[in-house]
Amino acid sequence: RKHFGTDFALVAIHTPPHIRFQRAQNRAAEWDQKRVQTKEEFDFRDEKELGWGLGNAVAMSDYVLVNDGTADEFKEKISVLFRKLIRN
């Protein structure tokens, strides 16, 4: 906020861990079989990212979008938020 001033909104995107894990496996299966992560590797990466302050950023966010459906459903959530932000 120091850098961007009042015309700034922090948006967190939350996807439940089990959905993120499944999506990561699906992407890896489509692109590169060697990239398939175990649940342990996935959990380790999540903990590492939290250590970088990701959890703090989420806690301070102005808006939270939940990405637990289809890509089209998420695009609609983004569109609704953008329209709201533009009106304000």
Side-chain angles (χ1 to χ4, degrees):
R1 296 189 201 285
K2 275 191 249 180
H3 297 284
F4 297 107
T6 58
D7 281 346
F8 174 80
L10 181 59
V11 179
I13 300 171
H14 172 73
T15 305
H18 71 280
I19 294 175
R20 286 188 299 108
F21 178 63
Q22 176 148 19
R23 289 175 180 172
Q25 286 186 314
N26 290 345
R27 281 191 302 271
E30 291 173 15
W31 298 334
D32 182 357
Q33 284 294 328
K34 293 179 279 190
R35 293 185 61 193
V36 175
Q37 297 176 330
T38 66
K39 182 71 168 102
E40 291 77 20
E41 290 170 326
F42 183 83
D43 290 342
F44 176 78
R45 188 189 73 194
D46 264 9
E47 288 297 320
K48 190 173 175 181
E49 289 175 354
L50 287 173
W52 293 337
L54 183 61
N56 292 338
V58 170
M60 293 186 310
S61 65
D62 300 301
Y63 301 93
V64 177
L65 296 180
V66 179
N67 182 13
D68 61 354
T70 67
D72 287 337
E73 290 169 336
F74 186 64
K75 287 176 189 175
E76 179 59 26
K77 289 178 182 182
I78 292 170
S79 294
V80 168
L81 177 60
F82 282 169
R83 285 192 297 272
K84 179 179 180 173
L85 291 172
I86 289 169
R87 278 194 307 266
N88 293 339

